[in-house]
Amino acid sequence: MSSFTPLSRTPSGPRRRSLLASAAGAAVLVGCSAPESSTPAGTAGRSPSAADAARARAARESETLAARYADVIAAHPPLAKLLDPLRTEVVRHAQAFGGTGSRPADSPSASPSASAAASSAASPSASSSGSASGSPSASLSATSSGSASATAPPAVPVRAKDALAGLATAELALVDRRTTALLDVPGELARLLASVAAAGAAHAFLLTEEAK
């Protein structure tokens, strides 16, 4: 009587996470060559095409997301084993769009201390000091500070699960924007956007599972 070999089960745990992350990253770069300008030859002096603008925007968005991953890893070192591979994939996404993958110059790092610093700045003593000093220079300083805080990245949550949930939300927001943007760009860039969106959805799934 012939023996029956049971079907292997889908791997779970860390091995399953690494397999999914690797598959997501591989899907992005299959068939994607180095980015080329979508502006026709002889029009270098003119404004960039919509496709070039979409590619540059996608690169910047991936660089900003990679920086957010780095901030979470810095604030929660135990998450590095989970998040390092995902961040590496996001950097590769930025490079596939023609970016460098490094933190944007106007995107300062965020940390849990950012919330504490904000609370300290809003203390009663700080408010009374600000009221006593009604000089134009003080007003200008307050305005500049407000502008800087408006462009600062969100502070990293103190709880690791909240930090993971925040990354999942950021990934899904990019998925939505990219699936919308791919409708208005040429075929090659549309395929790249679709692949990166699929990878982002896989990242969001993994992050959501870990945040439970």
Side-chain angles (χ1 to χ4, degrees), residues 32-38 52 55 59 93-99 188-189 192:
C32 296
S33 57
E36 298 178 358
S37 173
S38 302
D52 288 334
R55 188 186 291 275
H93 298 167
Q95 294 169 341
F97 287 120
E188 180 185 355
L189 180 55
L192 180 57

Side-chain angles (χ1 to χ4, degrees), residues 90-179:
V90 174
V91 169
R92 291 174 65 193
H93 298 167
Q95 294 169 341
F97 287 120
T100 63
S102 59
R103 181 187 296 272
D106 59 350
S107 178
S109 61
S111 68
S113 61
S115 299
S119 299
S120 175
S123 63
S125 59
S127 300
S128 60
S129 174
S131 301
S133 151
S135 64
S137 59
S139 300
L140 179 60
S141 175
T143 302
S144 300
S145 175
S147 300
S149 62
T151 58
V156 178
V158 176
R159 293 179 68 246
K161 289 189 175 183
D162 292 339
L164 292 175
L167 286 174
T169 299
E171 287 274 15
L172 288 176
L174 267 186
V175 169
D176 289 342
R177 288 202 292 274
R178 286 166 175 171
T179 52

